[in-house]
Amino acid sequence: MLAAESDLVFSTVSTRARLAGLRDEWDALVRAMPRPSPFLLHGWIEAWARHYVPDGDLRIQVAERGGKLVGAVPLYVRRRRGLRVAEFLGGDQAALADLLLSPHAPPGVASRLAAAAAAGDHDLADLFGLSAQSRLAAAVEPGSLKLIERVEAPVLDLDAGWDTAYQAKTSSKRRNLHRRRLRQLSELGRLAWRVARTADELGPALEDAFGVHDLRWRGRPDGSRFATPTGRRFHREAIAALAEQDIPRIVTLTLDGRPIAFHYYLAFAGRMYVHRLAFDPELARFSPGLLATLEAIRLAAGEGLQRVEYLGGDERYKLELSDRLEPLHQGLGLAGSARGRVAVAARLGTIVVRKRLKRSAALRRLYVDGLAPSRRLLASLRSGRWAG
């Protein structure tokens, strides 16, 4: 369905074929974001849609002027407990997702795109990854979308370089500990770093990362879906697409040629975006995951990246190596039905309870360790929901 005004045309992209046709202009909108998200780049979302979204379930709202793309809201609709839920492409992995807008878009484009997104054929919207300055949240009707802070998302500035930042953020005792851990690992065998950046390098490095990730999360709750069969197919395709723009990096630490830790990040818009990291738990006492992160940040600074976007929670090493928090939010609302309004209210209540649990160390341990077997059983029963 199309609506035209002067030379502006608004439409809904509902098929992967039409999404593919936006390739040439899409990434310019992503680069124009105040806080650009590599997880909205066309190669990434096209791969994600292919592996996670049935054709016809896309609901990408787009605005074109004179045949050129000037704005978009990258949504799809999926069924959840009998409800139709609008989410960002990428789901709960869509860090910093938002309304995309060209610097040359005419006034009113953002509000019309937001209205189109709100009026879609969904019961409610559940939008993860919004920043506090979200364009979409600012453009929708007041009160129609509730933002809840979900992820602390520490940020580290690298303007002065890695050495300066490292010296400023860590004590001499901590730096000595890092050196000692590296030395202790080297005493176990031949230690080496591998840095994958080209398509030919990234393919094998990604397979190694899947293996280390499996070791790290075996028997533990892992909601990332990174190394599921579908997750592997998606990442193989996505990393190959982004490698054409020199964006992905995988830093791997090996011991006698065996991968024991990796740090997978995206270099985009002058920033380092942390994506995935894991380590062999048998070597946890030597902190190989932290060492891989330190090496990855050092390399990122060396190539001129000026900011680290951790995009995750409040783990100690992130807080230690950061300047501030720039949290990510979950947007709930845009209810299109009475059932949707009830579901939004219930979901907001659940989130409040979970945040209280997170603040309790004892209850958090119960959730992570004590209830892990029960949650793994539930996850296996629901496995068809995400991946084969």
Side-chain angles (χ1 to χ4, degrees), residues 186-209:
S186 68
E187 292 169 354
L188 300 178
R190 180 172 53 86
L191 210 58
W193 293 104
R194 297 177 186 164
V195 181
R197 182 166 173 172
T198 68
D200 289 343
E201 295 166 341
L202 287 163
L206 182 60
E207 300 306 316
D208 286 340

mmCIF file of all heavy atoms in Angstrom, residues 186-209:
data_model
loop_
_atom_site.group_PDB
_atom_site.id
_atom_site.type_symbol
_atom_site.label_atom_id
_atom_site.label_comp_id
_atom_site.label_asym_id
_atom_site.label_seq_id
_atom_site.Cartn_x
_atom_site.Cartn_y
_atom_site.Cartn_z
ATOM 1 N N SER A 186 51.563 -18.801 28.779
ATOM 2 C CA SER A 186 52.682 -19.134 27.892
ATOM 3 C C SER A 186 53.527 -20.269 28.458
ATOM 4 O O SER A 186 54.204 -20.982 27.705
ATOM 5 C CB SER A 186 53.551 -17.898 27.646
ATOM 6 O OG SER A 186 54.224 -17.506 28.826
ATOM 7 N N GLU A 187 53.460 -20.454 29.769
ATOM 8 C CA GLU A 187 54.202 -21.555 30.384
ATOM 9 C C GLU A 187 53.549 -22.903 30.121
ATOM 10 O O GLU A 187 54.161 -23.957 30.319
ATOM 11 C CB GLU A 187 54.337 -21.315 31.889
ATOM 12 C CG GLU A 187 55.246 -20.134 32.239
ATOM 13 C CD GLU A 187 55.166 -19.737 33.704
ATOM 14 O OE1 GLU A 187 54.313 -20.307 34.425
ATOM 15 O OE2 GLU A 187 55.927 -18.834 34.127
ATOM 16 N N LEU A 188 52.294 -22.873 29.655
ATOM 17 C CA LEU A 188 51.583 -24.120 29.360
ATOM 18 C C LEU A 188 51.847 -24.613 27.945
ATOM 19 O O LEU A 188 51.540 -25.756 27.607
ATOM 20 C CB LEU A 188 50.074 -23.915 29.543
ATOM 21 C CG LEU A 188 49.589 -23.488 30.923
ATOM 22 C CD1 LEU A 188 48.075 -23.283 30.898
ATOM 23 C CD2 LEU A 188 49.965 -24.539 31.960
ATOM 24 N N GLY A 189 52.382 -23.748 27.094
ATOM 25 C CA GLY A 189 52.627 -24.125 25.712
ATOM 26 C C GLY A 189 52.884 -22.889 24.861
ATOM 27 O O GLY A 189 53.080 -21.786 25.371
ATOM 28 N N ARG A 190 52.852 -23.085 23.556
ATOM 29 C CA ARG A 190 53.119 -21.981 22.627
ATOM 30 C C ARG A 190 51.868 -21.120 22.484
ATOM 31 O O ARG A 190 50.834 -21.565 22.002
ATOM 32 C CB ARG A 190 53.545 -22.549 21.265
ATOM 33 C CG ARG A 190 53.846 -21.489 20.207
ATOM 34 C CD ARG A 190 54.441 -22.142 18.966
ATOM 35 N NE ARG A 190 53.590 -23.225 18.499
ATOM 36 C CZ ARG A 190 52.546 -23.052 17.679
ATOM 37 N NH1 ARG A 190 52.224 -21.844 17.257
ATOM 38 N NH2 ARG A 190 51.832 -24.098 17.296
ATOM 39 N N LEU A 191 51.991 -19.864 22.892
ATOM 40 C CA LEU A 191 50.868 -18.934 22.859
ATOM 41 C C LEU A 191 50.991 -18.029 21.639
ATOM 42 O O LEU A 191 52.083 -17.554 21.314
ATOM 43 C CB LEU A 191 50.883 -18.092 24.136
ATOM 44 C CG LEU A 191 49.557 -17.579 24.707
ATOM 45 C CD1 LEU A 191 48.622 -18.737 25.015
ATOM 46 C CD2 LEU A 191 49.819 -16.750 25.953
ATOM 47 N N ALA A 192 49.871 -17.795 20.940
ATOM 48 C CA ALA A 192 49.925 -16.948 19.747
ATOM 49 C C ALA A 192 48.585 -16.263 19.543
ATOM 50 O O ALA A 192 47.530 -16.758 19.961
ATOM 51 C CB ALA A 192 50.281 -17.775 18.510
ATOM 52 N N TRP A 193 48.654 -15.095 18.894
ATOM 53 C CA TRP A 193 47.449 -14.350 18.515
ATOM 54 C C TRP A 193 47.210 -14.503 17.017
ATOM 55 O O TRP A 193 48.153 -14.479 16.226
ATOM 56 C CB TRP A 193 47.613 -12.860 18.837
ATOM 57 C CG TRP A 193 47.701 -12.534 20.286
ATOM 58 C CD1 TRP A 193 48.823 -12.211 20.993
ATOM 59 C CD2 TRP A 193 46.614 -12.491 21.216
ATOM 60 N NE1 TRP A 193 48.512 -11.981 22.314
ATOM 61 C CE2 TRP A 193 47.165 -12.137 22.480
ATOM 62 C CE3 TRP A 193 45.249 -12.724 21.110
ATOM 63 C CZ2 TRP A 193 46.380 -12.014 23.612
ATOM 64 C CZ3 TRP A 193 44.457 -12.608 22.247
ATOM 65 C CH2 TRP A 193 45.026 -12.250 23.478
ATOM 66 N N ARG A 194 45.940 -14.640 16.654
ATOM 67 C CA ARG A 194 45.542 -14.604 15.256
ATOM 68 C C ARG A 194 44.514 -13.496 15.087
ATOM 69 O O ARG A 194 43.590 -13.381 15.891
ATOM 70 C CB ARG A 194 44.905 -15.932 14.823
ATOM 71 C CG ARG A 194 45.815 -17.148 14.895
ATOM 72 C CD ARG A 194 45.021 -18.393 14.511
ATOM 73 N NE ARG A 194 45.789 -19.614 14.694
ATOM 74 C CZ ARG A 194 45.235 -20.827 14.718
ATOM 75 N NH1 ARG A 194 43.917 -20.949 14.568
ATOM 76 N NH2 ARG A 194 45.988 -21.894 14.884
ATOM 77 N N VAL A 195 44.689 -12.707 14.053
ATOM 78 C CA VAL A 195 43.739 -11.622 13.774
ATOM 79 C C VAL A 195 43.146 -11.863 12.388
ATOM 80 O O VAL A 195 43.869 -11.867 11.393
ATOM 81 C CB VAL A 195 44.419 -10.245 13.832
ATOM 82 C CG1 VAL A 195 43.390 -9.149 13.573
ATOM 83 C CG2 VAL A 195 45.091 -10.043 15.192
ATOM 84 N N ALA A 196 41.832 -12.076 12.343
ATOM 85 C CA ALA A 196 41.134 -12.315 11.080
ATOM 86 C C ALA A 196 40.390 -11.056 10.660
ATOM 87 O O ALA A 196 39.629 -10.485 11.450
ATOM 88 C CB ALA A 196 40.150 -13.472 11.232
ATOM 89 N N ARG A 197 40.620 -10.651 9.411
ATOM 90 C CA ARG A 197 40.009 -9.418 8.915
ATOM 91 C C ARG A 197 39.478 -9.576 7.486
ATOM 92 O O ARG A 197 38.455 -9.000 7.142
ATOM 93 C CB ARG A 197 41.040 -8.290 8.985
ATOM 94 C CG ARG A 197 40.544 -6.938 8.549
ATOM 95 C CD ARG A 197 41.521 -5.854 8.977
ATOM 96 N NE ARG A 197 41.163 -4.551 8.443
ATOM 97 C CZ ARG A 197 41.747 -3.410 8.772
ATOM 98 N NH1 ARG A 197 42.748 -3.422 9.653
ATOM 99 N NH2 ARG A 197 41.373 -2.261 8.243
ATOM 100 N N THR A 198 40.155 -10.357 6.673
ATOM 101 C CA THR A 198 39.691 -10.581 5.307
ATOM 102 C C THR A 198 38.678 -11.720 5.291
ATOM 103 O O THR A 198 38.574 -12.509 6.243
ATOM 104 C CB THR A 198 40.859 -10.949 4.388
ATOM 105 O OG1 THR A 198 41.360 -12.245 4.765
ATOM 106 C CG2 THR A 198 41.986 -9.928 4.497
ATOM 107 N N ALA A 199 37.948 -11.827 4.190
ATOM 108 C CA ALA A 199 36.945 -12.886 4.067
ATOM 109 C C ALA A 199 37.591 -14.261 4.205
ATOM 110 O O ALA A 199 37.044 -15.159 4.872
ATOM 111 C CB ALA A 199 36.215 -12.762 2.733
ATOM 112 N N ASP A 200 38.759 -14.446 3.608
ATOM 113 C CA ASP A 200 39.443 -15.735 3.684
ATOM 114 C C ASP A 200 39.876 -16.063 5.106
ATOM 115 O O ASP A 200 39.894 -17.237 5.509
ATOM 116 C CB ASP A 200 40.663 -15.745 2.753
ATOM 117 C CG ASP A 200 40.275 -15.782 1.278
ATOM 118 O OD1 ASP A 200 39.108 -16.127 0.986
ATOM 119 O OD2 ASP A 200 41.131 -15.452 0.438
ATOM 120 N N GLU A 201 40.240 -15.038 5.879
ATOM 121 C CA GLU A 201 40.659 -15.257 7.264
ATOM 122 C C GLU A 201 39.467 -15.442 8.191
ATOM 123 O O GLU A 201 39.510 -16.233 9.144
ATOM 124 C CB GLU A 201 41.492 -14.069 7.746
ATOM 125 C CG GLU A 201 42.816 -13.880 7.016
ATOM 126 C CD GLU A 201 43.438 -12.529 7.285
ATOM 127 O OE1 GLU A 201 42.717 -11.597 7.730
ATOM 128 O OE2 GLU A 201 44.653 -12.377 7.028
ATOM 129 N N LEU A 202 38.393 -14.698 7.937
ATOM 130 C CA LEU A 202 37.254 -14.685 8.846
ATOM 131 C C LEU A 202 36.491 -16.002 8.864
ATOM 132 O O LEU A 202 35.964 -16.402 9.914
ATOM 133 C CB LEU A 202 36.307 -13.539 8.484
ATOM 134 C CG LEU A 202 36.804 -12.136 8.849
ATOM 135 C CD1 LEU A 202 36.014 -11.072 8.100
ATOM 136 C CD2 LEU A 202 36.703 -11.918 10.363
ATOM 137 N N GLY A 203 36.415 -16.684 7.718
ATOM 138 C CA GLY A 203 35.674 -17.946 7.675
ATOM 139 C C GLY A 203 36.198 -18.959 8.668
ATOM 140 O O GLY A 203 35.455 -19.427 9.555
ATOM 141 N N PRO A 204 37.485 -19.325 8.596
ATOM 142 C CA PRO A 204 38.034 -20.282 9.578
ATOM 143 C C PRO A 204 37.998 -19.750 11.014
ATOM 144 O O PRO A 204 37.757 -20.512 11.952
ATOM 145 C CB PRO A 204 39.481 -20.474 9.100
ATOM 146 C CG PRO A 204 39.467 -20.106 7.654
ATOM 147 C CD PRO A 204 38.452 -19.008 7.537
ATOM 148 N N ALA A 205 38.235 -18.442 11.193
ATOM 149 C CA ALA A 205 38.217 -17.871 12.549
ATOM 150 C C ALA A 205 36.823 -17.975 13.163
ATOM 151 O O ALA A 205 36.679 -18.210 14.376
ATOM 152 C CB ALA A 205 38.673 -16.414 12.515
ATOM 153 N N LEU A 206 35.795 -17.805 12.352
ATOM 154 C CA LEU A 206 34.429 -17.916 12.850
ATOM 155 C C LEU A 206 34.138 -19.348 13.290
ATOM 156 O O LEU A 206 33.494 -19.567 14.333
ATOM 157 C CB LEU A 206 33.440 -17.477 11.772
ATOM 158 C CG LEU A 206 31.958 -17.487 12.160
ATOM 159 C CD1 LEU A 206 31.690 -16.544 13.333
ATOM 160 C CD2 LEU A 206 31.079 -17.106 10.965
ATOM 161 N N GLU A 207 34.597 -20.324 12.530
ATOM 162 C CA GLU A 207 34.387 -21.719 12.933
ATOM 163 C C GLU A 207 35.092 -22.006 14.253
ATOM 164 O O GLU A 207 34.552 -22.708 15.115
ATOM 165 C CB GLU A 207 34.885 -22.662 11.839
ATOM 166 C CG GLU A 207 34.188 -22.493 10.490
ATOM 167 C CD GLU A 207 32.675 -22.600 10.580
ATOM 168 O OE1 GLU A 207 32.175 -23.520 11.280
ATOM 169 O OE2 GLU A 207 31.986 -21.760 9.959
ATOM 170 N N ASP A 208 36.295 -21.469 14.428
ATOM 171 C CA ASP A 208 36.982 -21.622 15.714
ATOM 172 C C ASP A 208 36.183 -20.965 16.838
ATOM 173 O O ASP A 208 36.099 -21.497 17.957
ATOM 174 C CB ASP A 208 38.376 -20.995 15.649
ATOM 175 C CG ASP A 208 39.363 -21.819 14.834
ATOM 176 O OD1 ASP A 208 39.114 -23.020 14.628
ATOM 177 O OD2 ASP A 208 40.389 -21.251 14.404
ATOM 178 N N ALA A 209 35.602 -19.815 16.538
ATOM 179 C CA ALA A 209 34.812 -19.105 17.546
ATOM 180 C C ALA A 209 33.599 -19.936 17.967
ATOM 181 O O ALA A 209 33.259 -19.994 19.152
ATOM 182 C CB ALA A 209 34.370 -17.749 17.002
#
